[in-house]
Amino acid sequence: MTTPQPAPISSTPVLRTALVWGAIATVVIAVVGGGIGYAIAGVDGLFSAFAGAAIAAVFMLLTAVSILVANRWFGDQLYVPIFFGIVLGGWLLKLVLFIVALLILRGQPWIVPGVFFVALVVSVVASLAIDGIAMFRSRAPYVDVALPGESAPGGDEETR
């Protein structure tokens, strides 16, 4: 008798979609924000917009990647503690990286604070909107049940 493989996690396609659209949004925000920043403050404004968009993109990437990596242990008896350990570790890493990035960028002469702030906020809002849209458009099942004639989720016909 073969051991049944667990069904794929429904969050995986949502996260992959969010990553793809997040990358596209980051490029668009960097280009548009860079253009506006350049018009406002020259080259310093351009680099400030790029920095704001890049920081938001790194944080979005870390969240999605940590969940996708943690989902590889789905079906394992220790899945829940592994999942939360990896996701919490990713959040702690993001916190440390955010503090380090702010300390490094704080005194840089090429940072235009207004352009950097707007690019960062627009990138974060776009990322949240993309995550929400990807989730709402997903066709993830609400429940996992076996229909008559199918094997039970996580089991086989003989165990019913």
Side-chain angles (χ1 to χ4, degrees), residues 7-159:
I9 302 232
S10 59
S11 66
T12 300
V14 173
L15 290 168
R16 286 185 180 149
T17 301
L19 279 174
V20 169
W21 283 103
I24 293 168
T26 298
V27 169
V28 169
I29 291 169
V31 169
V32 171
I36 293 171
Y38 185 78
I40 292 173
V43 175
D44 291 345
L46 173 76
F47 289 139
S48 296
F50 285 171
I55 287 174
V58 166
F59 292 140
M60 176 197 60
L61 176 75
L62 281 174
T63 300
V65 167
S66 69
I67 295 171
L68 286 170
V69 167
N71 280 345
R72 291 177 179 250
W73 279 272
F74 182 69
D76 191 294
Q77 288 182 341
L78 294 175
Y79 169 68
V80 173
I82 290 171
F83 179 87
F84 285 111
I86 291 173
V87 172
L88 180 61
W91 287 343
L92 291 174
L93 176 64
K94 287 189 332 183
L95 176 65
V96 170
L97 287 176
F98 184 71
I99 291 170
V100 168
L102 289 183
L103 289 174
I104 290 172
L105 294 176
R106 177 181 63 186
Q108 297 300 318
W110 55 270
I111 288 288
V112 179
V115 174
F116 175 79
F117 177 76
V118 169
L120 184 64
V121 169
V122 168
S123 297
V124 169
V125 169
S127 173
L128 292 173
I130 288 168
D131 290 347
I133 291 168
M135 181 62 191
F136 289 133
R137 289 190 176 174
S138 71
R139 296 184 181 245
Y142 293 111
V143 294
D144 194 18
V145 298
L147 297 175
E150 293 181 351
S151 63
D156 58 9
E157 286 289 329
E158 296 174 12
T159 60

